[in-house]
Amino acid sequence: MSNPDRLHIAYSMYQFADETWTARAERWTATFYTPSDPEIGSAEITRVIPGVTPDPRRALEADPGLLDRIPRVIFAEDGSLVPAVAEAGPTLLLLLESVHVTDQWRGKGVGMSLAVAALRRLAVPGALAVCYPAPIHDHGPDEPCSYASDDPEVRRPDEEAIVKLRRAWARHGFRPIGDGVYVLRLE
């Protein structure tokens, strides 16, 4: 009999038989649940195999999903890894596109912990996880939030959330690599 409090992760990946990375990214969905709560949340993870995946920067520009900043920070214009990433010698890149949990689980660190567990499970020796810790909104990443204060001393809620999220991801071992993007060697 299954423990109703035990958290589970289910993985799915969809790919067309004739699909190549020149037009679409390889995305995995990790779904988080318990036997008594089938909808805790999910994480979207994009896989890139350095030296095998043809021009991942171009593929991710054509099919970005929520990955806006990460490809620009870790891939050069020609699709190769930037020196800061290349020196780590990753065998696999796992780009964490998004993490979402339902309202009752939000703010408890559950989504982040499960996302890290999901990344570790998809990893191979030498894998590098990459994320951009920031809240997810319906608007684009470079568009302002609807919240705007007339007082210049009042910070936007997103700015405070980003600071908290970066600290939380750092507690899981992620380190900044540039432009707000964080990486973790998955051993």
Side-chain angles (χ1 to χ4, degrees):
M1 186 153 109
S2 190
N3 180 344
D5 297 324
R6 192 165 190 187
L7 296 167
H8 298 263
I9 303 173
Y11 297 89
S12 61
M13 193 276 279
Y14 300 97
Q15 186 176 22
F16 297 104
D18 61 346
E19 192 64 64
T20 69
W21 257 77
T22 56
R24 194 180 300 258
E26 181 184 317
R27 291 208 169 80
W28 289 71
T29 299
T31 305
F32 315 134
Y33 67 96
T34 67
S36 61
D37 187 353
E39 296 184 26
I40 291 174
S42 63
E44 297 293 324
I45 301 166
T46 299
R47 289 183 68 219
V48 175
I49 303 169
V52 174
T53 303
D55 200 349
R57 182 169 172 156
R58 188 175 47 172
L60 291 169
E61 285 173 354
D63 181 24
L66 294 176
L67 292 171
D68 175 56
R69 185 174 310 241
I70 292 174
R72 291 182 282 146
V73 171
I74 65 171
F75 299 114
E77 288 290 328
D78 65 357
S80 65
L81 297 173
V82 298
V85 176
E87 70 186 29
T91 57
L92 176 68
L93 295 169
L94 295 171
L95 314 180
L96 183 60
E97 184 171 331
S98 66
V99 179
H100 172 78
V101 292
T102 58
D103 287 341
Q104 74 181 35
W105 291 93
R106 194 164 282 143
K108 299 176 183 177
V110 171
M112 187 177 304
S113 294
L114 289 170
V116 171
L119 288 164
R120 289 188 187 287
R121 185 69 178 148
L122 287 174
V124 297
L128 199 63
V130 185
C131 71
Y132 174 65
I136 296 174
H137 301 289
D138 292 334
H139 60 72
D142 295 326
E143 297 174 29
C145 286
S146 58
Y147 172 84
S149 174
D150 294 333
D151 182 353
E153 297 297 314
V154 176
R155 292 173 48 171
R156 291 181 23 203
D158 273 4
E159 292 170 355
E160 293 174 14
I162 287 171
V163 169
K164 289 178 183 177
L165 284 168
R166 288 180 180 170
R167 277 192 222 129
W169 284 101
R171 283 192 297 274
H172 281 279
F174 282 81
R175 298 292 172 246
I177 193 163
D179 202 17
V181 174
Y182 281 54
V183 298
L184 171 69
R185 168 73 88 189
L186 296 167
E187 298 297 342

